[in-house]
Amino acid sequence: MTFDRKDYPNDLLLRLYRELLKPRLIEEKMLILLRQGKVSKWFSGIGQEAISVGSTLALNPDEYILPLHRNLGVFTGRGVPLGRLFAQWQGKATGYTKGRDRSFHFGTNEHHIVGMISHLGPQLAVADGIALADVLDKKPRVTLTYSGDGGASEGDFHEALNVAAVWQLPVIFLIENNGYGLSTPSNEQFRFKSFVDKGPAYGMEAVQIDGNNVLEVYDKIRTLAEDLRQHPRPVLVEALTFRMRGHEEASGTKYVPAELMQEWATKDPVENYEKWLLSEGILSETARVQIRETIKQEIEKGWQETEAAPAPVADASRELADMYQPFAPPVASPPAAGPAPEKRFIDAIQEGLRQSMARFPELVLMGQDIAEYGGVFKITEGFVAEFGKARVRNTPLCESAIVGAGLGLSIRGKKAMVEMQFADFVTCGFNQIVNNLAKSHYRWGQNADVVVRMPTGAGTAAGPFHSQSNEAWFTHVPGLKVVYPSNPHDAKGLLCAAFEDPNPVLYFEHKLLYRSLSGPVPEAYYTTPIGQAALAQEGEEVSIITYGLGVHWALAACKELSIKADILDLRTLLPWDTEAVARSVRKNGRVLILHEDTLTGGLGGEIAAWIAENCFASLDAPVRRVASLDTAVPFAPPLEAGFLPQQRLREQLLALRNY
């Protein structure tokens, strides 16, 4: 192995050595503790340390790095205290996730590190969002994110690189090519010869480096970073390396040919660099011993701190509270000066969005065709002229990357809105929403200030892929908030409230209401409280609990059948207003739950169960549910009408009143 020191001073070369040695010595300690049963699991980076160390030291301290399992050198290189790092691995209360997650599944904004989730690929898009924030703020910074060769097979890899290239974001995508995805060799992972072949296809440059040569890694990443700060663009870097131990210790390395292990053993990044420093007289034998002893003492001190640290104590109230960033919504009521003008549902959404853009200069809108075209429903029409294309951004067709970028923007203190062209398409971004946005604050205290707008619902003969009511998918996910307005007033108020809230909010807007429903909407900025239901109608015979288009179905059915009903519009589905439900149930004793979503697995089942547990003594009849058929949404209007619940609603209302 050849080392080219160029003009780097001895102090830097020795710092690289210390930082290279530290993760190796930590690993040696952890492997002993693993055999002693004091550590539960370990992902080894032995053989790959030069990549983490060289690239980390090449960046400025305020530039974000997004590492993986085998990037211990990122954390030690950024000066993360060992006592707290070890506590994280041990699930102690003093760890970065307070015992809620393990290994490197955490972030620390103090050290500008965003840890991984087990799905590997999604963090690449988060890097895009961080870099986008720097570009918008005109900050000359780069973002560095890692991927293994196996993880690069995920669709998130493609989406993140494509977005970074289209938007010319200063992201270094560093591929640690160690030849295996767990036990699967490269020739069963991909058919191309080298990852550098991928760069030109994305319109970005790509370079290959010796990932076991810490000096080469440092020099290349440092040179690229200096250039990217002045000329923002993404770069793909392939670092050739090898993992000398199993994917994790339990998996072993029996699948690796012995001769391959022997070949890479001669390329050990720590041993080769140490020998070179000694041969060049940069490192003395005395200093070598002293450095090792100093690091070992630091490791031992950190381990003693961890052993003395308390285990987490389960506290349900604290666990529930930490799912969300604490937030006291400001009171934003419109002035009571005369009647409010009538506005269509779609115009109310547009007005709320426009006023929020003016209120929050850090808010960035992202979605397919939302810029000059104005979106398929024209809600953002004219926004580019008003707010500029930097803040109103057309995106490629890559829902996952754009939702992930929203989290990245949040990490840099911005707000993001992601428009799903249709709610049905959210499946392509599902992982980012439920595993990144929803869990981020609970895991490491980083909120996801992201609103996902979801044009939803049937009734327009749009078939099974443009008509689904999929809100219940997300009401099962702690950490999210889910709102669903039924009228223009709440459409504006809830959208403004969603942007005020620093937590991830899914905002469902029924397409059928866009241009068919009008109502009074104050022109001034105001918010409708998230989590509070509202009575759309009062009556003493039955209680109908519903939301969205269901409110209008209930109003029409009650008028037609002369039924006096409380019609409770939930407005927020997570968290839903249990107190309002209880008041109406205890008042009337007869309850019908109505929603457009299919019956099985719909939110109505959860509400019915809660009523049975908490209001059983007040019931005069069994709780009834009315919903759409348990089928996909059909295309032909007669079939769609049979799918939707209006006729069944009338039958069940009469049966409930007469029970």
Side-chain angles (χ1 to χ4, degrees), residues 254-336:
K254 290 182 179 179
Y255 49 85
V256 181
E259 59 272 17
L260 192 57
M261 293 290 290
Q262 293 165 6
E263 175 189 347
W264 279 96
T266 66
K267 302 177 182 179
D268 184 280
V270 179
E271 292 180 4
N272 279 285
Y273 188 58
E274 183 179 84
K275 288 176 182 177
W276 178 75
L277 291 173
L278 288 167
S279 68
E280 294 291 315
I282 301 168
L283 175 69
S284 68
E285 180 61 27
T286 300
R288 185 189 75 85
V289 173
Q290 288 176 343
I291 291 171
R292 284 179 173 266
E293 186 57 33
T294 299
I295 294 173
K296 286 182 178 180
Q297 289 176 6
E298 183 185 355
I299 294 169
E300 189 57 35
K301 179 183 177 184
W303 181 250
Q304 294 302 323
E305 290 177 9
T306 298
E307 284 201 306
V313 176
D315 181 329
S317 61
R318 183 177 62 239
E319 293 296 292
L320 291 168
D322 276 0
M323 283 308 309
Y324 300 95
Q325 178 170 306
F327 173 62
V331 177
S333 301

Side-chain angles (χ1 to χ4, degrees), residues 41-114:
K41 195 167 188 176
W42 187 254
F43 293 89
S44 176
I46 289 178
Q48 297 187 193
E49 297 97 336
I51 300 172
S52 304
V53 171
S55 58
T56 298
L57 268 61
L59 298 190
N60 295 331
D62 65 344
E63 294 176 321
Y64 271 93
I65 304 178
L66 294 87
L68 290 172
H69 288 113
R70 269 166 274 286
N71 297 125
L72 172 57
V74 172
F75 296 86
T76 55
R78 280 284 167 92
V80 173
L82 296 189
R84 195 169 183 198
L85 183 61
F86 298 166
Q88 169 65 27
W89 299 342
Q90 291 298 90
K92 293 295 188 76
T94 53
Y96 284 91
T97 64
K98 306 176 186 177
R100 293 167 179 163
D101 213 334
R102 63 181 184 183
S103 63
F104 296 124
H105 294 217
F106 74 95
T108 159
N109 285 314
E110 177 187 357
H111 300 94
H112 292 86
I113 299 172
V114 179

